[in-house]
Amino acid sequence: MDSRLLQAEELGVRLEIVNGLPIWEAQPVYRHQKAVDRIRNSIEPATAAACACVHIADVYVAFTDGSLKRPDISIFCREPDEEEEAIRLIPEAVIEIISKGYEAKDLQIGPPFYLSQGVKDIVVFNPYTLAVLHVRKDRAAQHISPVKIRLECGCTVTV
């Protein structure tokens, strides 16, 4: 893992590298983390889904283009192999919770980037307005929380 990323963490900054561009964000506040926990508790396989719906919060994912991102929630159909380094398995879905002042990172940069890397579902939740954006390759939908979403991998999540 790049030592600069670990140093940023020690300074209370979340650092990501997207398409070669460093993007930073302050550590999340309680409202943000409470939303992450609530959403993670709702993730489950739909009836007879082949996906295990493994969900991990705030972990580095190394994408094939060299980018490193830390989605608030990453959903995989199996346990990733990496335990001591950035995960190389592409998530089936990611969920981002907006933090005040960082809306552009989650709404404008995140969805197109994730789609370009093969992520099938991107969900962005604004805990201040309760707006939920659900993006797939072929469409985007706006919802108001609470809403139950069935992901392409067969998992369901309530945002």
Side-chain angles (χ1 to χ4, degrees):
M1 180 92 59
D2 189 323
S3 64
R4 293 173 296 174
L5 300 176
L6 299 176
Q7 289 172 343
E9 182 79 20
E10 291 172 6
L11 296 172
V13 174
R14 291 174 49 154
L15 183 63
E16 299 179 334
I17 299 171
V18 180
N19 296 323
L21 183 69
I23 299 173
W24 71 276
E25 178 178 25
Q27 293 291 348
V29 297
Y30 177 62
R31 179 189 295 234
H32 180 281
Q33 293 307 95
K34 194 164 69 169
V36 168
D37 291 344
R38 178 182 58 77
I39 293 167
R40 284 188 70 203
N41 284 332
S42 78
I43 298 170
E44 60 187 8
T47 308
C51 185
C53 303
V54 175
H55 50 89
I56 306 169
D58 194 31
V59 67
Y60 275 114
V61 177
F63 290 91
T64 55
D65 72 345
S67 295
L68 279 169
K69 283 197 57 66
R70 287 173 62 169
D72 290 318
I73 303 169
S74 300
I75 301 173
F76 303 91
C77 284
R78 66 171 178 84
E79 291 279 342
D81 297 328
E82 301 82 7
E83 292 185 4
E84 298 293 330
E85 58 191 40
I87 294 171
R88 297 194 183 289
L89 181 64
I90 301 299
E92 295 292 319
V94 298
I95 302 169
E96 296 283 12
I97 293 39
I98 291 177
S99 295
K100 279 188 180 179
Y102 300 94
E103 295 86 353
K105 175 181 120 10
D106 291 330
L107 289 169
Q108 295 170 2
I109 296 170
F113 169 77
Y114 288 128
L115 288 173
S116 76
Q117 297 300 307
V119 177
K120 296 175 187 149
D121 286 278
I122 299 95
V123 178
V124 182
F125 173 54
N126 186 331
Y128 302 97
T129 66
L130 302 182
V132 178
L133 173 65
H134 179 204
V135 180
R136 286 188 175 159
K137 189 175 187 176
D138 60 345
R139 67 179 181 270
Q142 298 275 350
H143 305 283
I144 297 295
S145 180
V147 60
K148 188 171 190 172
I149 297 173
R150 184 178 175 127
L151 305 172
E152 281 193 36
C153 62
C155 305
T156 60
V157 59
T158 301
V159 180

